[in-house]
Amino acid sequence: MGSGEMMENDRINHGADMNARNSLETGIQKLDAGALFVLKSKGSWLHCGYHLTTSIVAPALLSLPFAFASLGWAPGVLCLTIGAAVTFYSYNLLSLVLEHQAQLGRRQLRFRDMANDILGPGWGRYCVGPIQFLVCYGAVVGCTLLGGQTMKSIYLISRPNGMAKLYEFVVVFGAFMLTLAQIPSFHSLRHINLVSLMLCLAYSAATTAGSIYAGHSAHAPSKDYSVSGDRQDRVLGAFSAIAIIATTYGNGIIPEIQATAAAPVKGKMFKGLCLCYTVVVTTFFSVAVSGYWAFGNQADSIILSNFIVGDTTLVPKWFLVMTNVFALLQLAAVGVVYLQPTNEVLEGLSSDPKMDQYSARNVVPRLIFRSLSIVIATTIAAMLPFFGDLNALIGAFGFLPLDFVMPAVLYNVTFKPSKRDLVFWLNATISTVFSGLAVLGSISAVRQIALDAKNYKLFANVS
């Protein structure tokens, strides 16, 4: 046999091996329209990194100085560090379980399928699926509301006596979201999420610079780093702050993000996590530390609000507008990312996987149902401008179990580490501690809802 023929046979055998490996990882299974059309597995580790960064590094990080105000310097930095370490570890555990399932020929593309396969029938349908939907759709409503509030902030900076109402801005932002919601698949968002990554770096850097500038200005507020309130308020405030930090690190869609990676998936998610957490550490710590340093226990729930004092601003107005615009644009990307689980469910119910994704049979229901989901989210955001309080409860009840508890449980059930191994007890400790924090965070959120209930009013024109 000639050398050329031998090389050709080697090439054919290598190609056959790769095809077999890809088939094994993909799992020869009948995919419904949701998995087939929305969760296309075509991406690289970089794309996973973009999706991860957009889902975690969102304008919610601007509330971190407010969390520090209820904790103080040392506990605040400690909780922020523990949050980064535990979520990176937990997300990597979840990725390892998904890789293991793929190697067994049972690649799972959705969180609920993963729970069903590993924990047993019913876990996906009655526990993980509903919680994930509540968390993700709640995030869409929250992004729409925060987008409207950000637009109103920009409006009031330029026209302090303007009479436009909050719900009007919410509707405008919802219309923008309505357009982005029609992007067909999660993988199709890769370029938008790259821009989103750059935007989060931009507004985090601007917020940090603005805090330092404001802290050194002649009109700088007095700095008080003590935790205010009586003992009960300080304790419940600390649990609320921990829930804010944990929710800020929240994701809830790790399996769906990993589903966008092309087979073989091994190692891709870890690289994406490394990229994501480089951005996480850079942005979270810079904003939290600089904002708390500048404003102490007077830090507002969104630190950009501290830059406005009466009719004046502590930073140049153009700078504040620019920072708000960066945050506003990224909010749209975050909202569309968290819309993907809803899109996947709607696509599975309304589309025909046997027909082309862009056939009239599939395009018409996709347009109708995705538009309807955004209209509902926008209506809720406009009607309930106090949705942030409800979202805190959803975050404590949803993000903490999905992102801190489930990964440890799924890893221990899948790999069955010995009780003599450190990893078993580490995972057991994480799942136990964060289950307790989920309960305490939920209690704290309910208490805050009760305290704020007297101010609740439909379509209220809040700042």
Side-chain angles (χ1 to χ4, degrees):
M1 183 182 295
S3 59
E5 189 176 350
M6 291 177 63
M7 290 176 64
E8 179 65 16
N9 286 339
D10 288 343
R11 185 187 66 79
I12 293 172
N13 290 336
H14 176 72
D17 289 342
M18 286 300 295
N19 288 336
R21 184 179 179 186
N22 289 350
S23 296
L24 181 63
E25 287 208 356
T26 303
I28 300 174
Q29 52 188 318
K30 185 178 180 181
L31 298 178
D32 60 37
L36 192 63
F37 297 154
V38 178
L39 302 178
K40 291 183 176 181
S41 302
K42 293 183 176 182
S44 67
W45 70 266
L46 269 175
H47 300 149
C48 289
Y50 302 156
H51 301 324
L52 283 165
T53 303
T54 299
S55 63
I56 298 174
V57 189
L61 70 89
L62 299 176
S63 65
L64 289 174
F66 176 73
F68 269 42
S70 297
L71 294 169
W73 273 118
V77 173
L78 180 63
C79 288
L80 200 60
T81 304
I82 291 173
V86 173
T87 51
F88 182 89
Y89 174 75
S90 296
Y91 296 156
N92 191 49
L93 287 185
L94 211 53
S95 176
L96 290 174
V97 173
L98 287 164
E99 288 180 3
H100 178 72
Q101 295 292 103
Q103 290 170 353
L104 295 177
R106 300 196 303 268
R107 184 175 183 185
Q108 303 298 339
L109 304 180
R110 295 170 285 216
F111 215 144
R112 64 182 185 275
D113 294 341
M114 186 182 184
N116 272 338
D117 194 46
I118 297 171
L119 300 179
W123 275 90
R125 179 183 292 270
Y126 301 111
C127 180
V128 172
I131 290 176
Q132 186 193 41
F133 178 82
L134 190 65
V135 165
C136 292
Y137 198 69
V140 175
V141 176
C143 285
T144 308
L145 174 58
L146 190 54
Q149 291 173 333
T150 305
M151 291 181 71
K152 185 181 177 184
S153 296
I154 296 170
Y155 169 74
L156 291 177
I157 291 169
S158 57
R159 297 185 63 182
N161 297 318
M163 300 300 292
K165 308 298 184 184
L166 173 61
Y167 64 82
E168 296 172 351
F169 294 105
V170 171
V171 170
V172 171
F173 188 80
F176 181 45
M177 287 279 292
L178 186 67
T179 303
L180 293 179
Q182 308 308 325
I183 296 174
S185 69
F186 205 155
H187 178 66
S188 302
L189 296 176
R190 61 195 183 280
H191 302 303
I192 289 176
N193 288 342
L194 171 59
V195 175
S196 168
L197 187 155
M198 293 186 287
L199 285 170
C200 73
L201 288 172
Y203 68 71
S204 297
T207 302
T208 301
S211 295
I212 295 171
Y213 181 90
H216 284 296
S217 70
H219 302 287
S222 58
K223 299 178 178 64
D224 183 0
Y225 302 116
S226 63
V227 179
S228 57
D230 58 27
R231 181 180 177 83
Q232 180 183 354
D233 287 340
R234 289 199 302 269
V235 171
L236 290 174
F239 284 123
S240 179
I242 292 171
I244 288 172
I245 291 173
T247 303
T248 305
Y249 280 110
N251 181 281
I253 52 174
I254 291 292
E256 285 77 7
I257 290 176
Q258 187 153 331
T260 66
V265 297
K266 187 172 178 62
K268 289 181 179 177
M269 199 63 165
F270 180 76
K271 293 178 182 177
L273 279 169
C274 289
L275 170 62
C276 171
Y277 271 77
T278 300
V279 179
V280 165
V281 171
T282 302
T283 55
F284 280 33
F285 281 84
S286 62
V287 169
V289 170
S290 65
Y292 185 55
W293 169 82
F295 301 104
N297 58 16
Q298 299 303 310
D300 287 335
S301 57
I302 297 294
I303 196 62
L304 295 182
S305 299
N306 286 100
F307 294 169
I308 303 173
V309 180
D311 294 332
T312 62
T313 59
L314 299 178
V315 296
K317 286 187 177 181
W318 66 265
F319 185 86
L320 187 55
V321 169
M322 178 189 71
T323 306
N324 275 285
V325 168
F326 289 154
L328 177 68
L329 292 174
Q330 205 228 358
L331 274 168
V334 175
V336 174
V337 163
Y338 278 104
L339 189 64
Q340 296 310 302
T342 303
N343 288 347
E344 180 270 315
V345 171
L346 293 174
E347 203 95 343
L349 293 173
S350 64
S351 296
D352 185 350
K354 297 178 182 178
M355 300 190 69
D356 185 77
Q357 180 180 7
Y358 302 105
S359 64
R361 162 65 182 81
N362 289 332
V363 168
V364 172
R366 180 185 308 131
L367 179 65
I368 293 172
F369 284 110
R370 291 191 183 192
S371 299
L372 187 61
S373 69
I374 292 296
V375 169
I376 293 172
T378 303
T379 303
I380 294 172
M383 286 179 60
L384 309 176
F386 45 84
F387 187 79
D389 286 353
L390 299 178
N391 228 10
L393 177 61
I394 292 171
F397 179 74
F399 273 125
L400 286 171
L402 288 180
D403 294 331
F404 293 86
V405 179
M406 288 299 294
V409 171
L410 290 169
Y411 184 91
N412 279 2
V413 171
T414 299
F415 293 103
K416 298 178 174 60
S418 169
K419 291 184 178 180
R420 291 174 293 183
D421 290 347
L422 175 63
V423 68
F424 175 86
W425 290 108
L426 178 60
N427 291 346
T429 301
I430 289 173
S431 58
T432 302
V433 169
F434 283 95
S435 293
L437 285 176
V439 173
L440 293 172
S442 298
I443 293 172
S444 179
V446 170
R447 173 179 175 269
Q448 191 61 48
I449 290 172
L451 291 174
D452 294 343
K454 62 180 180 295
N455 300 319
Y456 291 168
K457 182 180 178 182
L458 295 180
F459 296 101
N461 186 34
V462 298
S463 299

